Amino acid sequence: MTQEDEWIEPRAGREFTDEDVRFILSLTGRSDSSTRAQLDARLAVGRRLHEIAPKEHPDGRHVGVTRLKELARQTGLDYPTACDYRDVAVGLDNSPVLDQLDAPGVTYSWTVLREVVLNRSVSPLQLSARWDRLVMELAACREANLARLTGERLRAALGSTPIPNSATAMTPAKIVDQVTNRPDVQAAVLAAVAHDDTLKRAVAVESRKAERLSFVQQVVDDGTMRTPGGQVIEVSAEARQEASRRLRQLEEAKPPPEWADQAYEAVQELAARCIARDPEIAANETRAQFHAAMHRTARVIQGIDLEKTAAVADDEMRRSVADLQTSLADLAELLNQQPSRGLRVVKSGIA
């Protein structure tokens, strides 16, 4: 069959390229952009995603699902988020009121467009009526000298099911997920956390839990762990089995947060035995801890403004510096008396 005779499936999309990945990454990484810039970026991403994996084939079949999932993975997008970007962009481009959506002096967010196109808050209005209501609300905002149409106001105008403020309604686990994976909501979530002590504590607990479970999961998956000194070591079969057992317990039930701490501490204890049993690893660990302590001390000293300090120096300050100087001299003398061990670092993250 000649090239002219080849049949191309209508709107079947295309394979994505490295340029597509770079394009999407360049737009989705802008967490500090203005509302309008973020909106334009998401629409541009959505149009590119639709070009690669169209929302729907003319006969109703969905196409390019695997392609879209892989592209989302490579660009750090959740698959549902990638679908939202694509579907909202398509919905906007097909809007019957497209030429009426740029009301002078009034901005609106991505949430507003998503409510109209995807109807996530379950408005009783049909799509065409939702577009008309958006135009009406933009005009009302302009007449009231309001610079922004919020999602909350639009939902009320659409007769949608009321939803609570997203920042205060999210669970701690959801907040951690949002801050980690959704740059566009980082500012709002962090602002809420900054003014709510209870929320701050909850986020801290969830972050600690996630970090510790990640440690246990790595032990199970790779049979390795990173020591406090930065070495990556193989753990014993006993430690790996214990980590696996602890994870199964966590998956089979809904345990309290302290179970994550208990799993982490149990695996850490077994891993510490691995370090203690290997003289080379133990020596490298001690050496790494020494270097870290010296680095911290040096940074503190280098951060002192010598001229200002000299101007206010008193006897107590002079004694402190003299004592430190003596301690460092004693340490240097002691180390110079020891022969070089020449131990090998197996693998280290230490600079």
Side-chain angles (χ1 to χ4, degrees), residues 20-298:
D20 293 316
V21 173
R22 289 192 296 271
F23 174 81
I24 294 172
L25 285 172
S26 71
L27 293 178
T28 55
R30 300 176 179 178
S31 60
D32 58 348
S33 302
S34 65
T35 297
R36 182 68 200 197
Q38 289 187 5
L39 174 60
D40 290 342
R42 291 177 184 180
L43 291 173
V45 169
R47 293 181 181 109
R48 182 66 65 96
L49 293 176
H50 180 62
E51 176 187 333
I52 294 167
K55 179 180 178 181
E56 190 177 87
H57 188 271
D59 67 5
R61 290 183 292 110
H62 290 283
V63 298
V65 173
T66 301
R67 189 187 309 145
L68 184 58
K69 286 183 176 180
E70 177 59 21
L71 180 55
R73 186 190 69 79
Q74 290 192 29
T75 55
L77 289 174
D78 291 333
Y79 175 66
T81 300
C83 291
D84 282 358
Y85 285 1
R86 178 195 61 186
D87 297 351
V88 171
V90 172
L92 174 66
D93 291 345
N94 293 327
S95 169
V97 296
L98 184 61
D99 59 343
Q100 303 176 55
L101 297 182
D102 282 328
V106 181
T107 64
Y108 50 89
S109 68
W110 168 261
T111 301
V112 166
L113 283 183
R114 188 175 60 186
E115 289 294 345
V116 173
V117 177
L118 302 182
N119 198 20
R120 286 290 168 76
S121 56
V122 194
S123 166
L125 301 178
Q126 296 298 314
L127 177 60
S128 60
R130 296 198 300 272
W131 281 121
D132 290 338
R133 194 60 57 90
L134 172 58
V135 172
M136 293 171 57
E137 287 304 309
L138 289 172
C141 286
R142 185 169 59 251
E143 292 173 4
N145 293 318
L146 297 177
R148 177 183 169 98
L149 171 60
T150 65
E152 182 180 5
R153 174 172 176 143
L154 179 67
R155 282 190 291 267
L158 295 177
S160 301
T161 304
I163 62 173
N165 179 274
S166 58
T168 57
M170 287 188 291
T171 64
K174 183 62 175 176
I175 290 173
V176 172
D177 176 70
Q178 292 282 288
V179 172
T180 303
N181 299 314
R182 292 285 302 276
D184 56 298
V185 300
Q186 285 183 10
V189 173
L190 293 177
V193 172
H195 295 91
D196 190 319
D197 290 339
T198 301
L199 197 53
K200 279 193 281 190
R201 288 192 293 270
V203 171
V205 168
E206 287 295 329
S207 297
R208 176 187 175 92
K209 176 182 175 182
E211 182 179 341
R212 293 195 158 195
L213 288 180
S214 177
F215 170 84
V216 177
Q217 186 68 59
Q218 180 182 344
V219 170
V220 173
D221 293 344
D222 303 335
T224 63
M225 64 162 283
R226 184 176 292 276
T227 70
Q231 299 180 86
V232 177
I233 64 171
E234 292 186 2
V235 300
S236 65
E238 178 188 14
R240 194 169 186 177
Q241 291 169 2
E242 177 64 12
S244 179
R245 185 182 72 81
R246 295 277 182 166
L247 280 183
R248 284 198 304 271
Q249 287 181 339
L250 293 170
E251 292 169 355
E252 292 169 359
K254 293 184 178 179
E258 57 265 24
W259 276 35
D261 291 337
Q262 293 170 5
Y264 172 83
E265 289 164 1
V267 176
Q268 274 280 29
E269 182 179 348
L270 291 170
R273 296 179 192 172
C274 296
I275 295 174
R277 284 197 294 262
D278 191 313
E280 183 174 350
I281 293 177
N284 287 335
E285 194 69 8
T286 300
R287 186 181 295 107
Q289 292 170 2
F290 171 84
H291 284 304
M294 293 297 293
H295 181 65
R296 289 193 300 269
T297 303

